[in-house]
Every structure is written in C-alpha cells, then in structure tokens.
Amino acid sequence: MVDGEQRSTVRPLRPAAPPDGGSGPVPRPRRDAASDPATGPIGSPAESARSKVEPADPKPGDAKAEPGGAEAEPVEATAEPGGAQAGRRRRVPFAHAVRMPPRQLAAGAARATRAWSRRPSGRTTVPGLFLLALVAATAAAGALLVPAAVRKPQPVAVDATTNAPVHGVPQTGAVPGATSGPVVPGATGLPGTLGPTGTATPGGNTPTGPVAGPGVPGRPADALAGWAQRISATTRIPPVALQAYGYAELVLAQTNRSCQLSWTTLAAIGYVESRHGSYDNATLRPDGVAVPEILGAPLDGQGGRSRILDTDQGQLDHDPVYDKALGPMQFIPSTWQQIGADADNDGVKNPHDIDDAALAAGRYLCQGGRNMSIPGDWWGAILSYNDVRRYAQDVFDKADEYGRLSGT
C-alpha cells in the first residue's frame, strides 16, 4: 500500500499454504479492486503497489480468467518466506528487453506491427503509408530521370561574336517602338490594311501564298511594292526585304491572330543576322533569293561559336562535318528542317529565299502561344532565336528604330 508520504510499505509475504503440522492463519481471499477502499480503482498507485506484494490465488497452476475470456499471462514461481513458492506476475525490466538478441527484437517488432495493422487504425494507416512511399519514390525518380531526358533547346541562329550566357529575360517594360504600354510597333497594321488581323494588303488585294494555298503564280509579296517603297525611303531597308517582312506579318495575322507579330521585329532580326541579305557581298534578287548563298562559319566550337555537328549530311550548308547558319535569317539546318516555309508558292522551302525565311522566322517566334505584344513573350521569343542577351538587345534597338522611322 502507499502511506501518506508516498512511500511503499511492503507487508511480509504470507506462505501460499499453512506450514506443515501447523494451523497458521489462512490467507484471506483477494477482494475486487473496485470494491476495496484500500486499493482504490484499477491503475491507481495503491493497486500498483499492492500487485507487487499480494500473493496470487491459493491454487497454484490455475489460470485466472481475464476480461473477455483470455487467459492470464503465465506466472513465475517466486520463493516466499518459509520455502514455499507462489505464482505471481513478473514485469520484465526495460534494460533486460534492450539486451535481448536483435533477432528476437525484430521478431517482436514484426508481431507488434502485424497486430497493429489488423486494428481499425492500422487498416486505415497502412495503405496511406504505402501510397505516400509510392509517391515519394515516383517523385525521386522523376527528379533524376526527367532532367536527363529533356534536351536543352537549340537556338535558331548562332551569334559568332559572343557566347555570353543569359540567365533571364525582362518581364516588364515596353516592347520595341512602344511609347506607353506593351504595344508592338506596327501593331495597328500596315498602312492601308485592316489592322493586324485584316486580310487586305496596301493594294487592296488578298494575300496569297500559304494563306490561299500553293499553285498561285507570281510572288505574293509583290502586292506590297508600293508600301515597301514608301517605308524604304525612311528606314533604308531594301524594298524586296520589306515586302517579305510585311507579307509575313499579314500571313501570321490570319493564321496566328493571338501572336501580334510586327514586321519591325522581323526586319530587326534580318538586319542583325545578315544586313537584310547583304552579308559578305550578297544581294537579294527581285524574287527574294540571296546570291551568292549566305553561309555562316562552321559551328565547331571555336571563336565563341557553338559546337554543332552536321545534321543535314551537308545538303543545305555543304558541310558534312559541322552545321552552318543559312540564309538571310541565319537558320541552323536542323531548325530549318522543322520550321521551314514556302511563302512564294514556288514549291520549295528555301532558307536562302528571304520570303520563305521571314515567314519561317515569324512562325518560330509565335510558337508556344506567345503574344509578341507582351514584353516577357517578346524577349523570350528573341532569346529563343539566339540565346545571347547582347543579340536580343541589338534586335530590340533596331526594331524600335524601325518603328519610329516608319511611324508604325
């Protein structure tokens, strides 16, 4: 029992049976804990102390019935005063459990886990833990495998003058030629057109070429001759090149209305890449083809250039070892094979024809749902064309200049 100072006072143990030849006191029967005022309710300190000193039932070997019909735990005989033994519960110290062999500890843990999993809480928790582990394993595998499987996109053109990396693009500010807000120069349409989504050209004719389908004779961009002459007088862009840039804007205004690409952006790229088809003493013929062909330096990784091995077996760039940038808009052969266009209805996708090259460049800039009137989309598109910040800034400055000079 427990006295008022919380000290356990152990009474002498009584023998389980009277001594031989004697008529000693008979052990009194154990009282129910719920009705014994000395012990108090089950689990109280009094009962806990009492359970350590009270003898078991007088009949050794009998199994005491537990609530629910289960048999009591085996009891261990303990020497009592007088030489007799009586059954009593024995608690295994924690230190003894720690010293158990690892195999027994593992087996005990497995049994405890199995028993817990059969309970209502275990039946609910175990599937959740399994799903959590499965999701974690999937995420870890994705983090390792996806970056290795995704290739870094190749730019369309390569700037041979610098290889400075770009770590981000502006998401705010104005686009080229805009005086307030994200307005692209020329977004109000070419002079005499119905706007960026209209179908009329300065001469009132409907654009042909890719819009009307193949088989239409002549160069569709010739319909912009009058407009090109006027714009050329202020911007000093060759009329043949201006026709190609303006026609590409009209075609994309019909085929990709949400892009809102301006001819000034295409003209700026054409200037930075090849000076509108005049690089290395080349000239544009009336049909838009540059002669001689404009080829960049081999992309061999030297002089700040990227290293790109041959992708076209030398069919476009005449180099079976390394790729070279092609034509007035300087496409890499592998990119041209994916995005090339036939804007003049001659049945050939020719990267050296500024009509085909300008339309292909416009399609490339507009892909992915870009809106070129949004600054972030504009910068992202130009850097996807050539991932060099100085290059993008040169294109921005030139497009802004063309927008101011042309009043568009």
Side-chain angles (χ1 to χ4, degrees), residues 21 65 101 103 218 317 331 391:
R103 181 177 299 178
D317 57 9
F331 278 93
Y391 172 90

Coordinates of all heavy atoms in Angstrom, one line a residue, residues 21 65 101 103 218 317 331 391:
G21 N 2.1 -29.3 9.8 CA 1.8 -29.5 11.2 C 1.2 -28.4 11.9 O 1.0 -28.4 13.1
A65 N -9.2 -16.2 -15.0 CA -9.9 -15.7 -16.2 C -9.8 -14.2 -16.2 O -10.0 -13.5 -15.3 CB -11.4 -16.1 -16.1
P101 N 18.4 -10.4 -27.9 CA 19.1 -10.5 -29.2 C 18.4 -9.8 -30.3 O 17.1 -9.7 -30.2 CB 19.1 -12.0 -29.5 CG 19.0 -12.7 -28.1 CD 18.1 -11.7 -27.3
R103 N 17.6 -10.5 -33.2 CA 16.6 -11.3 -33.9 C 15.3 -11.4 -33.2 O 14.2 -11.3 -33.8 CB 17.1 -12.7 -34.2 CG 16.2 -13.6 -35.0 CD 16.8 -15.0 -35.2 NE 18.0 -14.8 -36.0 CZ 18.8 -15.9 -36.3 NH1 18.5 -17.1 -35.9 NH2 19.9 -15.7 -37.0
G218 N 3.4 33.8 -109.4 CA 4.0 35.1 -109.0 C 4.4 35.1 -107.6 O 4.1 34.2 -106.8
D317 N 24.0 23.1 -96.1 CA 25.1 24.0 -95.8 C 26.4 23.6 -96.5 O 27.5 24.2 -96.3 CB 25.3 24.2 -94.3 CG 25.6 22.9 -93.6 OD1 25.7 21.8 -94.3 OD2 25.6 22.8 -92.4
F331 N 19.3 30.5 -90.3 CA 18.7 29.3 -89.7 C 19.8 28.2 -89.6 O 20.6 28.0 -90.5 CB 17.5 28.8 -90.4 CG 16.2 29.5 -90.1 CD1 15.8 30.6 -90.9 CD2 15.4 29.1 -89.1 CE1 14.6 31.2 -90.6 CE2 14.3 29.8 -88.8 CZ 13.9 30.8 -89.5
Y391 N 22.6 40.0 -78.3 CA 21.9 39.9 -79.5 C 20.5 40.4 -79.4 O 20.0 41.1 -80.2 CB 21.9 38.4 -79.9 CG 21.1 38.0 -81.1 CD1 21.5 38.1 -82.4 CD2 19.7 37.6 -80.9 CE1 20.7 37.7 -83.5 CE2 18.9 37.3 -82.0 CZ 19.4 37.4 -83.2 OH 18.6 37.0 -84.3

